[in-house]
Amino acid sequence: MIALQFPAILVEHGFTPVTYDFDSTILGFRHDIYNALIHRSPVFSEDSKITSHRFSPGAFLQVQLMTHAAGSDLDSALSYFFRQWFAELRYQLPVCEIFEVRRNALTADIHALSINEHNAMTFRFSIQRGAYEPL
C-alpha cells in the first residue's frame, strides 16, 4: 500500500510539522472539500463528514462521503469525485500527486497525497452509498 508511505514522501519533499503549517492547510482543505464535494452536491449528501487528524500524516483529512441514496451508482460517484478533484481541489502545478483507490460493490476508499512547491496534504476519502430516501 503506497498510502503507508505518505509520511515518508512528505518528509522527502521537505514537509514536516517543524517546517510546515499543516493546521492551516487542513483548515483550508476542509472548507474547499465541503464546497467542492458536499454543499449542494448532486451526488453526495450533507450527511457526509470531514474529520481532521493533525497527528496522522498518512491522512491528515478523512472524509466520509455518503451518496444521496443507496441505489446510487458507485462508478458515477467516483467519476464525480475525480472531476471535482481535478477541477476544484488539486494543487496547481503539483510536483507529486498519488491516488490509491480500493473498492468493492458498496464502498470505495481513496487515499490521496498532493504536493506542490509550497504546500502538501494527505487525505482518505471513503465513499459509501447512502440510505434509501423516503418517497
Side-chain angles (χ1 to χ4, degrees):
M1 282 182 63
I2 190 76
L4 295 176
Q5 298 172 13
F6 285 179
I9 295 169
L10 289 170
V11 171
E12 192 176 292
H13 284 85
F15 293 96
T16 70
V18 173
T19 63
Y20 183 71
D21 183 7
F22 285 106
D23 289 337
S24 292
T25 306
I26 289 168
L27 184 62
F29 263 112
R30 285 180 63 96
H31 173 78
D32 292 345
I33 289 167
Y34 177 78
N35 285 322
L37 294 174
I38 300 169
H39 183 65
R40 296 185 182 162
S41 170
V43 175
F44 299 118
S45 164
E46 295 274 342
D47 292 331
S48 299
K49 297 194 182 341
I50 304 169
T51 309
S52 304
H53 295 273
R54 59 187 295 236
F55 299 110
S56 295
F60 283 119
L61 281 168
Q62 295 189 16
V63 183
Q64 294 175 305
L65 296 168
M66 189 74 69
T67 63
H68 284 295
S72 298
D73 175 21
L74 193 56
D75 289 331
S76 296
L78 280 165
S79 177
Y80 178 79
F81 169 85
F82 280 107
R83 272 195 317 273
Q84 292 301 102
W85 177 270
F86 288 107
E88 304 283 336
L89 293 170
R90 86 181 304 206
Y91 286 130
Q92 290 186 8
L93 305 172
V95 296
C96 182
E97 190 170 59
I98 300 171
F99 296 98
E100 182 174 84
V101 180
R102 296 180 180 266
R103 66 169 291 176
N104 60 39
L106 301 175
T107 64
D109 282 324
I110 303 163
H111 284 87
L113 173 137
S114 188
I115 300 173
N116 74 5
E117 185 179 356
H118 303 289
N119 297 292
M121 188 50 48
T122 57
F123 311 86
R124 178 176 180 225
F125 296 92
S126 298
I127 300 174
Q128 297 180 327
R129 296 189 320 168
Y132 284 106
E133 297 176 1
L135 297 176

